[in-house]
Amino acid sequence: MDIRNDISQLQKLENCSIIEGNLQILLMFTTGAEDFRGLSFPRLLMITEYLLLFRVYGLESLRDLFPNLSVIRGTNLFFSYALVIFEMPHLRDVGLHSLGHVLRGSIRIERNQELCHLSTIDWGLLLPDAVDNTYIVGNKLAEECADVCPGILDVEKPCAQTSVNGQLDYRCWTSSYCQKGLACTATGECCHAECLGGCGRPRDNRACVACRHFHFNGHCLPSCPPRTYEYEGWRCVTAEYCASLRKVSDNPRDASKFVIHQRQCLSECPSGYTRNESSIFCHKCEGLCPKECKVGTKTIDSTRAAQELGGCTLIEGNLILNIRRGYNLASELQSSLGLIETITGFLKIKHSFALVSLSFFKNLKLIRGDSMVDGNYTLYVLDNQNLQQLWDWNHHVLSIPVGKMYFAFNPKLCLAEIYHMEEVTGTKGRQNKAEINPRTNGDRASCKTQTLRFISNVTESDRIFLKWERYRPPEYRDLLSFIVYYKESPFQNVSEYVGQDACGAQSWNVLDVDLPLSSEQAPGVALLNLRPWTQYAIFVRAITLTTAEEGRNYGAQSEVVYIRTMPAGLKLPTSSADTRFGDGDGPEVEQDAEERCCPCRPADGQLRMEGEAESFEKKFENFLHNSITIPRPPWKVTSINKNGQRTPKRRRDVVAVTSPANTSSAEPPAPSRAGREPKPDFQIFEDKVVRDRVVLSRLRHFTEYRIDIHACNHAAHTVGCSAATFVFARTMPELQADNIPGNVTWEPASKNSVLLRWEEPRNPNGLILKYEIKYSRESEEVTTVVCVSRHRYSKYGGVHLALLQPGNYSAKVRATSLAGNGSWTGLIKFYILGPAEEESGSFYILLTVTPVVLMVLISCLAIFVFFYNKKSHELMCLCWQQNPRQRPSFLQLLETIKNDMAPAFRTLSFFYSPENGRRGSGEPSDAETDPSPGEDEPPASPLPTRKDHSPGRLPNGTA
């Protein structure tokens, strides 16, 4: 089941309990985490083949998606893997907490930069026979993950412990789900031995979640009952049911009936077996099994098209080859077309610029000619610019009983090769000169080839020195140079054309050799960096100037010779025993090389293992992309950067993966749709480069970046660029970024404790994980180290050191980030007082504080007296004036000071009594008022208030 591009495709899984086949979920680039919330398929229990997840954005866990998936059988594998999780950029944990068994195949989890909880899974519990083949690389580092199993930090029962690579640890899928062991019920009772993934009732083979071997009529059985047959590796079916099945395929040729072979119901007979039309059972072939493929007229323009004919021995129809490009074409075509023995119609090879030879049809014996090109030609070879060989006629026989052959515009195919084919195929005399044109075939090849002879060789453990006779064409100026071809060859059965194609893929190593300066000197070459005690196949070809003029198409080439290098440690000259060497001047040294053979150097073996691992990884990626890719029309882009400079953009997706504290330069996130959380905004840049490499600069230190690469050509504006391939890479850490700035300070906190404070690193390498404080008492050599989490630090801006003994201390601090440890700060010294020092300290404090308190009290009293006497002084000055008429009355005095009197004054004083008719107005009654002053006396001054005069000044202006 293939689910891609659109999340709505997941609805295909609704109500599925068993997927009989594989499940591929891939290539969803526009989905987010909110799209998967609430999406669950709890009914899915088993997948019979494999599970593949590739580039599904926003999916953070499979915990809710497949909560009850218990078994992956692996009856058919994806490149030998039953579970593949590859390039899932947002996946945080696998979360398949019900998965208990992967019966066949292994697991590959690679390039998932956010994926954690991998170290807490015991893969041996899932696939005990394939632990060594599990491939888990390129995911989030274990030290960056907080992988904690349930029950470790609380009172819950912890998960079971197992030992992996000698390390005993708790095993869980996530922080909420432990990893299961044996199949048990919900209450912990053991299931039947034929159960997998749990059961509803103990020891009952009818209540299993999945069957260990086979399922039939509701029972789990160790084998299928009589008159039933194994189907898809997990259930038993009758012969009638098997006969009713049809193979589903897009290719009509593959839509065939199922067959029975060795108690199995299969889609086709295995290699070496075939079936009759009247029977459903397979029987063994005598020799090569025939496989008839009805194709009509089939055009092969790529290796993918050729693969559709894999295994065919009889082609009922016509084949047209039009291959212009490809990689490793010779071996790919041979693996797909190498079994073809008969073509009932015609074979047409045109415009196949990538072909050098037709030897990939290694078993082709008959082109029957039931239909012909233009009604005349059974074999039609037109305009193949690099075709040099048809077949190796020393080892190949081909028959063309009817029809003609046509050869034209094959400039490197010599006429001798065509004439030789006429004799072998029995078509000589059928063609005229126009149908095998001597002016358009072989006109650019050196067809009149002379055989070059080697005259000597000197062999060492890692090199071979060769000399061959000087070739002298009729026109010496036509000789340009020589080319030496060589490769490792354990067996002496190599042809010069095997493994070659015109696109550059060939198994031969090629070395150009210039002509010697002297016309009398024999040409030679040194083949270097060879492997000790290894047989090499070698031949030499002369490169000449060829034209279409008669008599100028000359050339020379040696036969393929085989030379073995010396064992490691020996360095002796030798002459090859190959009879194709002449009697040169090279010395002959007869030795028993077998007795002197030394083992290969370990370094070579190590390099070979590394090369094989790298080659395997490339093969897996090629297999992945070839398997999941469905060709479609090219997509368009709206713009492309033409100026070659980096262009900043904004993109709502993860591009530079940093901590939230390190994204202060990013703009605020755009408003999200209702009900959805806003995604983080990161800055994205574009570069246009014309080479196959680029240096990205001005990046942030120790930050993970996602780099997408598109291939674009001149038509990118109209047809778009290619789909992206991407890689995640992290920049190197900055050496001083994790250092604590400034100094560490301290202050007493309580008895026998202090508070140390410091600043955080301003621009650390990723997240700060913890702080380390190392302190010691001066009189002791023991150093104490305290680990402080960043959360604890953020509460106080430092840390409390408690329960310290009296004495002098020194301490230093350093920070630890994702990149490692920063530098230690300088030493900070502090002290803790003892009991005697605390008492004497209290006495000194008392002596110091008491005078201060007394001085403060005296100052307050003086200030009070000053302000109190200030008003009294003013009243006294008014009452003691020389002129009695200017003195205020008693009521006027009370009017002035009534607001400063105690509250009881209002109830007890005559001033507020009913007898005082003015009710405290402050003005004297008639009886108290003196007669009006005389003309010679000044009038009495009104009683002043503080707002009428400046402080400290008398009413008459005197001080």
Side-chain angles (χ1 to χ4, degrees):
M1 184 176 292
D2 188 276
I3 297 174
R4 66 177 67 210
N5 301 331
D6 191 352
I7 195 171
S8 63
Q9 296 289 316
L10 283 170
Q11 298 305 320
K12 296 178 182 178
L13 299 175
E14 197 70 37
N15 297 323
C16 284
S17 59
I18 296 173
I19 295 179
E20 206 164 62
N22 61 67
L23 175 58
Q24 297 184 161
I25 305 176
L26 57 147
L27 302 178
M28 295 186 186
F29 299 107
T30 60
T31 51
E34 62 276 8
D35 296 318
F36 292 94
R37 293 196 181 107
L39 195 61
S40 182
F41 303 97
R43 295 174 61 91
L44 183 61
L45 303 176
M46 183 173 69
I47 299 173
T48 63
E49 294 185 0
Y50 63 83
L51 172 62
L52 167 67
L53 294 107
F54 175 61
R55 294 190 184 178
V56 179
Y57 286 33
L59 183 59
E60 298 180 349
S61 177
L62 303 178
R63 178 185 63 249
D64 300 325
L65 202 61
F66 305 123
N68 296 316
L69 179 61
S70 302
V71 179
I72 300 176
R73 305 196 74 93
T75 56
N76 186 30
L77 301 176
F78 186 88
F79 203 79
S80 77
Y81 297 104
L83 174 61
V84 178
I85 302 175
F86 192 75
E87 292 184 0
M88 296 285 288
H90 302 133
L91 194 67
R92 299 183 181 276
D93 58 66
V94 179
L96 294 173
H97 53 85
S98 295
L99 184 63
H101 300 275
V102 177
L103 299 183
R104 180 173 174 264
S106 190
I107 293 172
R108 188 179 187 108
I109 302 176
E110 184 180 2
R111 299 187 192 175
N112 309 286
Q113 75 277 8
E114 294 296 325
L115 186 57
C116 290
H117 270 291
L118 295 175
S119 61
T120 61
I121 301 174
D122 186 351
W123 303 104
L125 296 178
L126 301 178
L127 36 114
D129 298 332
V131 177
D132 293 339
N133 294 329
T134 301
Y135 191 82
I136 303 176
V137 296
N139 306 292
K140 194 168 186 178
L141 298 177
E143 52 268 25
E144 298 181 17
C145 295
D147 294 344
V148 178
C149 288
I152 296 179
L153 301 180
D154 47 36
V155 296
E156 295 180 14
K157 182 180 178 181
C159 300
Q161 288 182 299
T162 64
S163 180
V164 176
N165 297 327
Q167 183 176 358
L168 185 66
D169 207 345
Y170 297 99
R171 301 300 166 191
C172 59
W173 289 96
T174 68
S175 58
S176 303
Y177 292 95
C178 295
Q179 185 176 3
K180 295 182 179 180
L182 298 175
C184 300
T185 64
T187 58
E189 298 179 89
C190 290
C191 298
H192 192 276
E194 288 297 319
C195 290
L196 289 180
C199 58
R201 295 183 301 273
R203 298 178 179 84
D204 188 348
N205 67 347
R206 295 170 297 176
C208 302
V209 171
C211 294
R212 182 178 299 275
H213 293 106
F214 298 99
H215 179 271
F216 183 69
N217 287 343
H219 292 71
C220 289
L221 305 172
S223 61
C224 288
R227 292 186 298 278
T228 62
Y229 304 93
E230 301 171 4
Y231 177 64
E232 291 292 334
W234 76 279
R235 60 184 173 125
C236 304
V237 298
T238 62
E240 293 77 11
Y241 181 87
C242 184
S244 67
L245 297 175
R246 295 293 183 272
K247 184 178 180 181
V248 178
S249 175
D250 295 333
N251 191 339
R253 146 182 100 77
D254 291 333
S256 57
K257 296 180 180 180
F258 274 57
V259 296
I260 294 177
H261 174 69
Q262 295 181 354
R263 297 189 58 81
Q264 291 182 320
C265 178
L266 305 174
S267 60
E268 60 184 0
C269 292
S271 177
Y273 291 82
T274 186
R275 58 163 289 188
N276 297 326
E277 289 297 330
S278 59
S279 173
I280 193 177
F281 294 92
C282 298
H283 60 85
K284 191 174 181 60
C285 301
E286 295 181 3
L288 186 65
C289 284
K291 182 178 180 181
E292 182 178 331
C293 299
K294 298 179 182 180
V295 299
T297 298
K298 173 74 173 178
T299 298
I300 300 175
D301 55 5
S302 65
T303 56
R304 190 181 186 92
Q307 288 170 359
E308 297 177 2
L309 300 180
C312 296
T313 59
L314 186 147
I315 300 296
E316 189 172 324
N318 311 305
L319 286 187
I320 300 176
L321 268 66
N322 184 11
I323 301 178
R324 305 192 182 195
R325 63 182 64 85
Y327 175 75
N328 199 22
L329 280 175
S331 60
E332 290 288 341
L333 293 176
Q334 181 170 314
S335 64
S336 302
L337 309 177
L339 296 179
I340 297 175
E341 295 180 342
T342 302
I343 300 174
T344 62
F346 61 80
L347 174 61
K348 184 176 184 179
I349 302 164
K350 64 173 184 176
H351 312 310
S352 295
F353 307 139
L355 296 183
V356 173
S357 169
L358 302 183
S359 60
F360 52 83
F361 283 115
K362 65 176 184 178
N363 285 311
L364 183 61
K365 297 180 175 61
L366 174 65
I367 306 177
R368 207 160 67 191
D370 293 352
S371 60
M372 304 181 191
V373 179
D374 298 333
N376 287 312
Y377 305 110
T378 304
L379 177 64
Y380 194 91
V381 184
L382 173 69
D383 189 25
N384 302 284
Q385 297 296 312
N386 296 291
L387 186 63
Q388 301 176 36
Q389 184 199 40
L390 298 174
W391 280 271
D392 184 359
W393 299 114
N394 294 325
H395 303 91
H396 195 85
V397 177
L398 177 63
S399 174
I400 303 178
V402 297
K404 300 180 180 180
M405 299 191 303
Y406 182 87
F407 288 86
F409 301 103
N410 304 289
K412 294 185 179 180
L413 183 62
C414 294
L415 290 172
E417 180 77 7
I418 303 174
Y419 295 154
H420 194 177
M421 183 175 181
E422 282 187 306
E423 296 178 357
V424 172
T425 58
T427 58
K428 188 173 183 179
R430 300 181 194 172
Q431 295 78 223
N432 57 36
K433 190 173 183 179
E435 291 164 334
I436 303 179
N437 194 328
R439 298 188 64 85
T440 62
N441 294 294
D443 55 309
R444 296 183 181 276
S446 299
C447 295
K448 296 180 180 180
T449 302
Q450 176 181 332
T451 301
L452 287 177
R453 293 175 56 84
F454 289 100
I455 57 178
S456 72
N457 76 89
V458 178
T459 306
E460 299 180 4
S461 63
D462 61 347
R463 64 194 68 191
I464 297 175
F465 299 94
L466 290 172
K467 285 187 179 181
W468 55 90
E469 64 185 6
R470 184 66 178 252
Y471 170 59
R472 300 181 184 278
E475 186 67 37
Y476 182 73
R477 292 173 299 177
D478 289 346
L479 181 60
L480 302 179
S481 64
F482 295 92
I483 296 181
V484 179
Y485 298 83
Y486 66 99
K487 68 175 179 178
E488 293 183 20
S489 177
F491 307 101
Q492 297 187 6
N493 58 352
V494 174
S495 168
E496 62 185 277
Y497 294 103
V498 172
Q500 292 191 40
D501 62 62
C503 297
Q506 57 178 335
S507 58
W508 292 94
N509 300 300
V510 180
L511 189 63
D512 290 313
V513 181
D514 293 331
L515 298 177
L517 297 178
S518 171
S519 59
E520 302 300 326
Q521 183 180 354
V525 70
L527 306 181
L528 306 177
N529 300 318
L530 306 180
R531 293 166 54 82
W533 198 242
T534 302
Q535 180 172 272
Y536 285 84
I538 306 169
F539 73 94
V540 181
R541 177 179 293 167
I543 304 301
T544 59
L545 180 65
T546 60
T547 67
E549 298 178 8
E550 293 293 336
R552 294 288 298 275
N553 298 53
Y554 292 97
Q557 179 177 313
S558 74
E559 296 182 0
V560 178
V561 298
Y562 301 90
I563 304 175
R564 185 181 296 275
T565 54
M566 298 299 294
L570 298 180
K571 193 173 183 179
L572 298 172
T574 182
S575 290
S576 172
D578 198 301
T579 58
R580 285 159 287 196
F581 279 84
D583 299 329
D585 299 331
E588 292 187 8
V589 179
E590 296 181 359
Q591 303 182 48
D592 187 357
E594 293 288 348
E595 296 179 359
R596 301 173 183 265
C597 183
C598 300
C600 295
R601 293 169 291 182
D604 292 340
Q606 183 66 27
L607 291 175
R608 185 165 59 255
M609 291 178 61
E610 293 176 359
E612 289 174 356
E614 183 177 354
S615 174
F616 181 81
E617 185 170 349
K618 290 180 179 179
K619 287 180 181 178
F620 171 77
E621 290 193 44
N622 290 338
F623 182 83
L624 171 67
H625 288 277
N626 291 337
S627 300
I628 67 165
T629 301
I630 298 176
R632 64 178 182 179
W635 50 276
K636 294 185 178 182
V637 294
T638 55
S639 64
I640 186 170
N641 185 14
K642 296 182 178 181
N643 54 18
Q645 297 180 354
R646 184 176 295 179
T647 305
K649 286 189 175 182
R650 313 301 301 174
R651 172 174 170 175
R652 296 184 57 78
D653 230 333
V654 175
V655 178
V657 183
T658 63
S659 62
N662 299 333
T663 57
S664 58
S665 61
E667 298 175 4
S672 61
R673 289 179 287 177
R676 295 194 176 189
E677 298 179 0
K679 297 180 182 179
D681 247 355
F682 296 94
Q683 193 169 12
I684 183 172
F685 298 95
E686 280 188 4
D687 273 351
K688 179 182 177 182
V689 295
V690 296
R691 303 179 61 191
D692 60 353
R693 67 199 68 181
V694 67
V695 176
L696 304 179
S697 57
R698 299 189 301 277
L699 306 180
R700 192 184 182 281
H701 58 272
F702 202 71
T703 301
E704 191 170 39
Y705 288 85
R706 171 178 160 167
I707 304 168
D708 287 35
I709 302 174
H710 300 262
C712 306
N713 60 15
H714 63 280
H717 288 288
T718 56
V719 301
C721 299
S722 72
T725 182
F726 65 86
V727 66
F728 288 90
R730 187 188 292 276
T731 53
M732 296 295 291
E734 189 175 321
L735 295 179
Q736 308 297 325
D738 297 326
N739 292 350
I740 295 174
N743 298 320
V744 181
T745 61
W746 73 282
E747 59 186 72
S750 60
K751 187 176 181 180
N752 293 347
S753 69
V754 296
L755 175 61
L756 297 183
R757 295 181 182 273
W758 62 87
E759 294 183 25
E760 285 197 287
R762 297 185 179 92
N763 196 12
N765 292 310
L767 296 174
I768 294 295
L769 303 179
K770 66 177 182 178
Y771 293 96
E772 287 182 271
I773 298 95
K774 186 181 291 188
Y775 69 91
S776 62
R777 196 162 61 165
E778 290 185 354
S779 59
E780 299 177 354
E781 296 183 357
V782 178
T783 300
T784 304
V785 179
V786 177
C787 181
V788 180
S789 66
R790 188 181 179 278
H791 176 70
R792 182 180 168 191
Y793 164 85
S794 60
K795 282 186 176 181
Y796 308 104
V799 64
H800 285 91
L801 300 181
L803 302 177
L804 300 177
Q805 298 297 321
N808 295 324
Y809 287 81
S810 61
K812 56 184 178 180
V813 184
R814 75 175 177 185
T816 300
S817 71
L818 291 174
N821 297 322
S823 300
W824 290 101
T825 63
L827 288 175
I828 175 70
K829 295 184 180 295
F830 60 93
Y831 58 85
I832 298 296
L833 298 177
E837 294 170 320
E838 289 178 354
E839 293 178 2
S840 61
S842 301
F843 176 73
Y844 288 128
I845 290 173
L846 182 61
L847 291 179
T848 304
V849 171
T850 302
V852 174
V853 173
L854 290 175
M855 291 177 65
V856 171
L857 291 175
I858 293 171
S859 299
C860 292
L861 182 60
I863 292 170
F864 172 76
V865 171
F866 172 76
F867 285 104
Y868 182 79
N869 289 339
K870 183 176 179 182
K871 179 177 287 187
S872 301
H873 182 265
E874 291 179 357
L875 295 176
M876 290 176 65
C877 290
L878 291 174
C879 293
W880 287 93
Q881 295 187 80
Q882 291 181 356
N883 189 349
R885 292 186 177 277
Q886 293 181 342
R887 299 171 185 168
S889 66
F890 175 69
L891 293 178
Q892 288 177 325
L893 291 173
L894 289 179
E895 182 72 25
T896 303
I897 64 175
K898 66 180 182 179
N899 294 330
D900 297 325
M901 302 303 290
F905 176 75
R906 181 177 292 274
T907 59
L908 300 177
S909 172
F910 170 79
F911 182 77
Y912 290 98
S913 66
E915 288 82 1
N916 184 11
R918 299 182 181 270
R919 303 295 295 171
S921 63
E923 297 181 3
S925 62
D926 295 339
E928 295 172 332
T929 305
D930 292 335
S932 297
E935 294 179 359
D936 57 343
E937 293 178 357
S941 300
L943 186 66
T945 61
R946 275 187 287 178
K947 67 181 181 179
D948 298 329
H949 304 281
S950 298
R953 299 191 65 84
L954 299 179
N956 58 5
T958 61

